[in-house]
């Protein structure tokens, strides 16, 4: 697995090419981003380019949060993120899920800069993290099961949101006397 750092922040714009930061990864929101010019993006992506199947990992502030890139991005990223590129022996979705494990968090903590404020981990230290890697087929199977569970959780959360909205509307009707119960 190779690790790459992003760029320091160029002058942001209201429109242009998305420029991802820690906030985008931690909020899992890649719609509301800062933007840079096409020229700046071309310059930054000549060194390293975010591609579908890569992982963005926070390395400053809230370290170790990962986002698997499951879309075709045209974007650059800030220096507070590391871009993880996996070789063909590793399923990057597996690595993304593994990053939530206790073992990964312990490895991350051992290699982070203890006295840095905010918390920080260097790129070299990220590449030294020991990861339990089963066979590629098992990695893929694990990632598939966990992905299915994520989809089910998302579906349940949508239902829960609908029921909460229904309850709020019902409370409004009942508590204001618009609807009376016998």
């Amino acid at each position: 697995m190779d690790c790459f750092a992003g760029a320091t922040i160029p002058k942001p714009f209201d429109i242009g090419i998305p420029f991802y930061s820690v906030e985008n990864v931690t909020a899992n929101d890649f719609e509301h981003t800062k933007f840079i010019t096409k020229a700046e993006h071309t310059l930054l992506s000549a060194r390293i380019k975010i591609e579908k199947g890569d992982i963005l990992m926070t390395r400053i502030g809230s370290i170790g949060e990962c986002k698997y890139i499951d879309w075709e991005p045209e974007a650059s990223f800030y220096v507070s993120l590391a871009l993880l590129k996996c070789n063909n022996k590793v399923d990057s979705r597996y690595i993304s899920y593994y990053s939530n494990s206790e073992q990964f968090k312990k490895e991350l903590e051992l290699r982070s800069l203890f006295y840095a404020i905010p918390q920080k981990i260097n790129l070299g230290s990220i590449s030294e993290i020991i990861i339990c890697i089963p066979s590629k087929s098992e990695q893929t199977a694990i990632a598939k099961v966990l992905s299915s569970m994520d989809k089910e959780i998302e579906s349940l959360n949508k239902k829960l949101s609908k029921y909460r909205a229904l309850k709020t509307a019902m409370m409004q009707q009942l508590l204001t006397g618009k609807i009376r119960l016998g």
Side-chain angles (χ1 to χ4, degrees), residues 28-171:
N28 193 26
D29 179 3
F30 292 86
E31 299 287 321
H32 304 94
T33 66
K34 294 180 174 119
F35 295 94
I36 58 174
T37 65
K38 178 78 172 165
E40 189 78 38
H41 170 68
T42 302
L43 184 68
L44 295 174
S45 59
R47 185 175 63 93
I48 189 66
K49 184 177 178 180
I50 305 171
E51 299 172 305
K52 184 176 183 176
D54 290 344
I55 301 167
L56 284 172
M57 184 180 106
T58 58
R59 61 179 213 91
I60 298 174
S62 176
I63 67 169
E65 291 195 37
C66 291
K67 175 62 179 171
Y68 173 74
I69 306 298
D70 61 356
W71 67 94
E72 295 288 346
E74 182 179 8
S76 290
F77 61 104
Y78 187 51
V79 71
S80 59
L81 296 174
L83 182 66
L84 309 180
K85 290 190 168 280
C86 296
N87 61 33
N88 61 359
K89 296 177 184 172
V90 180
D91 186 319
S92 53
R93 293 174 306 154
Y94 171 82
I95 297 298
S96 182
Y97 282 115
Y98 188 85
S99 70
N100 293 310
S101 72
E102 228 175 271
Q103 298 92 321
F104 183 84
K105 298 295 183 191
K106 285 179 185 175
E107 284 284 321
L108 199 63
E109 191 174 311
L110 285 172
R111 288 167 171 70
S112 67
L113 300 174
F114 292 108
Y115 300 106
I117 298 175
Q119 191 176 17
K120 178 179 178 180
I121 187 166
N122 290 327
L123 284 179
S125 299
I126 293 170
S127 62
E128 294 171 359
I129 291 175
I130 298 167
I131 298 174
C132 175
I133 301 180
S135 70
K136 177 86 181 258
S137 60
E138 189 174 351
Q139 293 172 48
T140 302
I142 290 168
K144 200 177 273 190
V145 166
L146 295 175
S147 179
S148 292
M149 291 181 82
D150 280 343
K151 287 176 185 168
E152 183 64 25
I153 290 168
E154 187 178 329
S155 173
L156 291 170
N157 281 335
K158 285 180 182 177
K159 284 181 183 177
L160 183 59
S161 291
K162 287 179 184 178
Y163 281 116
R164 283 190 174 131
L166 181 61
K167 178 186 174 189
T168 300
M170 193 178 289
M171 284 174 55

Side-chain angles (χ1 to χ4, degrees), residues 169-182:
M170 193 178 289
M171 284 174 55
Q172 184 68 23
Q173 296 291 312
L174 291 169
L175 298 175
T176 60
K178 289 182 180 177
I179 293 178
R180 305 304 295 164
L181 297 178

